[in-house]
Amino acid sequence: MSSRLPRIGLALAAALLVAAIVITSALHRRTLYTTTWFDLFDTVSVVKGYARSQAEWDKQMEALHADLLHYHQLFDIYNHYDGMVNLYDVNAGAAAAPVAVEDDLYAFLDWCDNTIYPETDGATNIAAGAVLSLWHGARESDNPVPPEDTLIQQALDHIDIANLQLDADTHTVYFADAAMSLDVGAVGKGYAVEKAAEAAQARGLDSALLNIGGNLRAIGEKANGEGTWTVGVENPWGSDPAYVQTVTLPDGYSLIVSGDYQRYFEYEGVRYSHLIDLTTGYPARYCNSVAILSPAGGGGTGDALSTALFCLPEDAGRTVLTGVPGYEALWLYPDGSSAQSDGWTGQPVS
């Protein structure tokens, strides 16, 4: 009888240990939440992630939304906002006299001018507003028609980024060409998402996936030991399947896709997308989409590269890609074929 007591005691201790582990796991288990916004960058934004309570999640999302909304307003070229000097104000006044801007806008413009423009061989050019505005007006009209070629050729004479004059001492912006204007649609959203994600992580958000109009950015991993975030590359040829490849996103990585199926109009049977080849002034037709996998912290550059590589022949795009180590690309073509850089990690959807 007494020999059984130690065994019973051990069994009881083991059972109590298992119960303690289960209880501890349950106490630390986090819930998956989802938040959707419709007021950022003229698109739908969805953030999903894990938190210990609804209150904790809501607090993080309120701060994240405020950061994204700040950049949305800062980069807006169509509206003025009280309390800030944004790109609308710069475009309205910089041809007449230097316009003083806040540090965050100046840093962004300087980065676009002195880093992104040379890295993309000029294919991502924030000074191309004269051309881009023609196509924007065409897309937004009740009866979309491509702009007149003469207007396009005239506009191409006013996209020289050398005429964007930034003064680092006074943080002012001046246009040496009065017909020039800025449009940061090719890079602004990715930059904003990266900056906002970094700020959210600094506030303690450690498990989330941001999808800001197709710009995907991972924060940490899924909670509860569920692994890394997995995202999809959209099918540019239809909806079956919805995705052609899946990609895992480690902490800080981004997936950004530019395609001709997102914003476009059709005229006389021809599709005209919003992605403009600045060597011709017309929508690029090299492929249907380009996906960029960006390393940790590289979401802004990834956005610029997705536009640039879409607007360049593949061989030129590969040359650009070699100048920015750590970034990988997938090209999808109208005939259903694809090409990828050597380090691309996506997997075909079975």
Side-chain angles (χ1 to χ4, degrees), residues 112-124:
C112 289
D113 183 6
N114 294 305
T115 299
I116 292 304
Y117 184 84
E119 283 185 345
T120 61
D121 196 25
T124 299

Side-chain angles (χ1 to χ4, degrees), residues 28-43:
H28 288 86
R29 187 172 183 82
R30 292 194 279 176
T31 302
L32 177 64
Y33 296 96
T34 301
T35 296
T36 303
W37 299 307
F38 300 95
D39 60 345
L40 301 169
F41 303 103
D42 301 317
T43 189

Side-chain angles (χ1 to χ4, degrees), residues 295-307:
T301 298
D303 196 6
L305 287 173
S306 72
T307 301

Side-chain angles (χ1 to χ4, degrees), residues 13 31 33 52 67 74 84 91 95 126 169 172 180-181 183 207 215 220 224 229 258 290 312 325 334 341 348:
T31 302
Y33 296 96
R52 293 172 181 83
D67 285 342
L74 195 65
M84 70 161 57
N91 280 341
I126 64 168
D169 293 327
T172 56
M180 188 184 78
S181 64
D183 184 322
S207 180
N215 283 49
N224 310 320
W229 296 101
S258 290
V290 172
L312 291 169
S341 59

Side-chain angles (χ1 to χ4, degrees), residues 41 68 71-72 74-77 87 104-105 107-120 122-128 132 161 164 182-196 212 215 254 256-258 263 274-276 278 292 294 297-309 311 327:
F41 303 103
L68 289 168
Y71 285 107
H72 165 86
L74 195 65
F75 298 160
D76 192 342
I77 61 174
L87 287 182
D104 52 356
L105 181 54
F108 170 72
L109 295 176
D110 181 70
W111 174 73
C112 289
D113 183 6
N114 294 305
T115 299
I116 292 304
Y117 184 84
E119 283 185 345
T120 61
T124 299
N125 178 5
I126 64 168
L132 300 180
I161 202 168
L164 172 61
L182 302 181
D183 184 322
V184 302
V187 65
K189 186 167 59 173
Y191 182 93
V193 172
E194 183 59 44
K195 291 296 185 182
I212 312 301
N215 283 49
S254 298
I256 300 157
V257 181
S258 290
R263 282 187 287 162
H274 72 293
L275 295 159
I276 307 303
L278 296 177
I292 298 293
S294 303
T301 298
D303 196 6
L305 287 173
S306 72
T307 301
L309 268 61
C311 295
Y327 294 82

